[in-house]
Amino acid sequence: MTTTTSKRLITTTTTTKPRHLINISQLTNDEFSNLINKASHLKSIYKSEDNIEQTQKNHQKLLGKLVALLFSKRSTRTRISTEGAASFFGAQPMFLGKDDIQLGVNESILDTTKVISSMTSCIFARVNSHLDIQQLCKYSSVPIINSLCDKYHPLQAIADLLTIREKFGETKNLKLAWIGDANNVINDLSIACLKMGINVSISIPKSIQFDSNVESDAKKLATEQNLKFEIVNDPKLALENANIIVTDTWISMGEENQKQAKLKQFENYQINQNLLSDVNLASNWIFMHCLPRHQEEVADDVFYSDNSVVFEEAENRLYAAMAVIEAFVINKGDLLK
Ligand code: CP
Ligand code: NVA
């Protein structure tokens, strides 16, 4: 936009706000399902041995660009998959750990975000609180991709739904049972499942509160699609006829000081063959876990069983990150493209 005054020429640029990935709830059902299609398509391209050089050239749409990874918490899968995805599209990933930059010590989130977004194509952000993600979205001129905060983990939900679809083909009318904490992973996973026609049964201890916003979004989605969304206490109730069994750590990053109290709250919530032998499961059941895993929430006899798909699920994080870069950065937030 150019405005001329009698004294001087003032030039201001009108920029459109980028679209950010904050959580799965913000996506329409079609947008979410298209992201899964995209992840699946990119996976087949990535794994294909045909014409590798040409395939690489065709996808290097971010050649010469930078992708920032602003991580204030540890990571194995998210770091590798986002760096890998950025490289696939020709961009240079730049890891900015909490001890590498001025943020939080010498510089505000506003100034840091303005500077990083002025030089990069997108920011994968793994931060402590959802408020941090909201601040980043407010100040960034490039897409912010929530790479885990205390409330959401959308990249994990995309990889998980890709894995479920690969295992079952059709997702409609499956049942997912979550046995564990009410945390960032199940918040996005429950919404993602409902968007893809999967019934969700969550078992959490009485003393743990499920996020009320996520619960009301989930209930609305379930009603619209004639699906079941329930929160129960008894793991056996949730597990009845389940096709997909999922758990996660009981002590998320940042909750280390609550470890003893939480271990007590989760007594009898460990997933093991003994528990599973007491319930009717679907014959084709699978076990999933976003990792890292601890013995307390799932025993080896399930974690390393033939029904476990945890390592395929981890690999799918790469294709989820690729799909997100293509949709939010290359296609500028047009998720139906
Ligand atoms: N599942 C997951 O996000 O793993 P990392 O914490 O290792 O990235
Ligand atoms: N709920 C876990 C997920 C780790 C990938 C955490 O926030 O630490």
Side-chain angles (χ1 to χ4, degrees):
M1 185 174 74
T2 305
T3 316
T4 314
T5 67
S6 53
K7 293 233 159 94
R8 58 196 173 119
L9 185 72
I10 303 168
T11 308
T12 53
T13 342
T14 314
T15 47
T16 40
K17 285 290 282 175
R19 188 169 182 191
H20 308 292
L21 176 59
I22 301 169
N23 60 26
I24 299 299
S25 226
Q26 66 169 117
L27 311 177
T28 66
N29 297 4
D30 285 347
E31 285 177 333
F32 183 66
S33 132
N34 207 43
L35 263 186
I36 306 299
N37 292 342
K38 200 179 273 303
S40 173
H41 177 66
L42 287 162
K43 179 174 184 173
S44 62
I45 289 171
Y46 186 81
K47 290 185 95 96
S48 163
E49 298 287 314
D50 302 339
N51 213 353
I52 298 173
E53 271 183 27
Q54 194 53 45
T55 307
Q56 275 177 348
K57 270 194 197 137
N58 290 346
H59 284 86
Q60 304 234 310
K61 300 204 171 118
L62 298 178
L63 202 63
K65 308 272 187 198
L66 292 174
V67 163
L69 276 70
L70 182 64
F71 277 35
S72 54
K73 287 179 177 174
R74 289 185 307 275
S75 169
T76 299
R77 282 139 289 269
T78 310
R79 177 170 180 180
I80 298 170
S81 58
T82 51
E83 291 204 13
S87 306
F88 177 78
F89 290 109
Q92 169 76 49
M94 182 173 282
F95 186 80
L96 306 168
K98 68 176 182 340
D99 298 325
D100 300 325
I101 57 173
Q102 305 279 13
L103 178 65
V105 182
N106 274 330
E107 201 158 35
S108 68
I109 195 157
L110 192 163
D111 296 359
T112 304
T113 313
K114 280 193 166 290
V115 171
I116 298 177
S117 64
S118 72
M119 299 186 216
T120 61
S121 295
C122 82
I123 303 175
F124 283 92
R126 170 165 282 207
V127 293
N128 292 311
S129 79
H130 184 55
L131 193 68
D132 294 336
I133 286 288
Q134 287 172 320
Q135 298 271 301
L136 287 165
C137 293
K138 189 169 164 195
Y139 303 132
S140 176
S141 56
V142 296
I144 297 293
I145 310 299
N146 184 354
S147 306
L148 180 145
C149 65
D150 58 344
K151 232 178 133 162
Y152 301 111
H153 197 1
L155 292 169
Q156 187 66 52
I158 298 165
D160 288 356
L161 268 293
L162 172 63
T163 312
I164 293 170
R165 213 182 61 180
E166 286 174 347
K167 292 291 153 193
F168 294 97
E170 176 58 71
T171 53
K172 294 231 173 338
N173 293 319
L174 295 170
K175 177 183 176 183
L176 178 138
W178 172 273
I179 315 296
D181 198 10
N183 69 10
N184 43 11
V185 172
I186 187 58
N187 283 349
D188 266 332
L189 181 58
S190 50
I191 299 293
C193 284
L194 293 163
K195 284 186 183 291
M196 298 287 281
I198 302 174
N199 300 288
V200 177
S201 190
I202 293 169
S203 165
I204 48 175
K206 262 204 179 81
S207 52
I208 301 244
Q209 192 60 44
F210 198 77
D211 185 283
S212 57
N213 296 329
V214 177
E215 184 175 349
S216 72
D217 284 357
K219 283 185 172 155
K220 190 165 165 270
L221 270 173
T223 310
E224 277 165 16
Q225 309 210 74
N226 209 14
L227 293 166
K228 199 164 176 180
F229 173 80
E230 62 175 5
I231 300 173
V232 297
N233 303 126
D234 182 356
K236 288 184 191 161
L237 277 180
L239 286 165
E240 202 57 34
N241 296 319
N243 309 87
I244 308 147
I245 304 170
V246 197
T247 191
D248 181 18
T249 182
W250 297 335
I251 299 116
S252 283
M253 287 181 276
E255 296 182 342
E256 291 77 5
N257 60 355
Q258 299 171 41
K259 184 169 180 182
Q260 289 317 317
K262 285 197 103 175
L263 289 180
K264 238 184 143 30
Q265 281 176 302
F266 283 96
E267 261 169 21
N268 304 322
Y269 276 74
Q270 190 200 48
I271 298 174
N272 52 49
Q273 288 293 355
N274 200 26
L275 171 70
L276 300 188
S277 65
D278 254 9
V279 288
N280 294 307
L281 295 174
S283 56
N284 55 356
W285 68 273
I286 60 171
F287 173 76
M288 300 180 75
H289 190 308
C290 68
L291 313 179
R293 163 257 181 171
H294 308 85
Q295 287 272 349
E296 59 235 23
E297 71 261 7
V298 55
D300 281 358
D301 60 8
V302 173
F303 187 78
Y304 293 114
S305 71
D306 290 344
N307 300 77
S308 175
V309 299
V310 295
F311 297 112
E312 288 148 276
E313 180 186 0
E315 181 191 334
N316 280 341
R317 291 293 309 273
L318 176 61
Y319 316 114
M322 284 179 177
V324 164
I325 291 186
E326 187 167 277
F328 284 83
V329 186
I330 297 168
N331 295 343
K332 300 190 183 330
D334 179 355
L335 271 66
L336 296 177
K337 207 163 157 185

